[in-house]
Each structure stands twice: as structure tokens, then as C-alpha cells.
Amino acid sequence: MAKSATNLSLDSDAKQASIQLFAELGLDLSTAVNMFLKKCVKVHGIPFIISTDEPNAETVAAMNEYYAIKLHPENYKRYASFKDAMDEVLADDA
């Protein structure tokens, strides 16, 4: 495979964060960019997400809330039906 040097202007913070992430995934920046470009050409678009197994802050908060509800259900309001819950939510908007 022939190689071609390319100059890219990258946000410094994004570049450093990407280098760290790619290292965790066992890749260097050049390999990751080549993978991305080849896959883009193959599918004619932006094709995939590469990420770590760590959930984002919103997911962590939702998981923590679930565990709190499971551990102490008495601290949380319960509804007899989904309709009852929706009626209360919609009444709050009025």
C-alpha cells in the first residue's frame, strides 16, 4: 500500500484526547484516520462509532437512579397505571 503524507489542521485538545482514546483501543492516530477514511469510502458516508465501554454521565446518572429506586422503592411514588403517571406529568405542564 502506497503511503501519502497529509497535513491536517486539528484542534489541539481534540487531537490529544483522540490520541489517548486510540491508544486505549490499540491504535495510533494515523491508523485510526486510515480506518475511518477507508470505511467512509466503502459505505459512502460516516459509517461507525468507535468508543470505549464507559457510559456517559447521563447514562451513569440513570443507572444510579435505577439502583436507588431498587434499593429504596418506598422513597419513590408509584402509579397504578401508565395512564395515571402520564396524567400527572401532563397536568404539571398546564
Side-chain angles (χ1 to χ4, degrees), residues 70-87:
K70 189 174 178 182
L71 189 60
H72 297 287
E74 69 279 1
N75 294 337
Y76 298 88
K77 187 169 185 175
R78 298 184 66 93
Y79 297 91
S81 69
F82 180 74
K83 182 182 179 323
D84 291 346
M86 287 304 299
D87 288 346

Side-chain angles (χ1 to χ4, degrees), residues 4 8 10 18 29 35-36 47 54 58-59 61 67 87 89:
S4 173
L8 297 173
L10 304 172
S18 297
L29 182 60
M35 288 172 60
F36 176 73
E54 295 180 32
E58 183 178 4
T59 301
Y67 294 127
D87 288 346
V89 168

Side-chain angles (χ1 to χ4, degrees), residues 3-14:
K3 302 243 178 186
S4 173
T6 302
N7 259 343
L8 297 173
S9 294
L10 304 172
D11 176 277
S12 295
D13 294 337

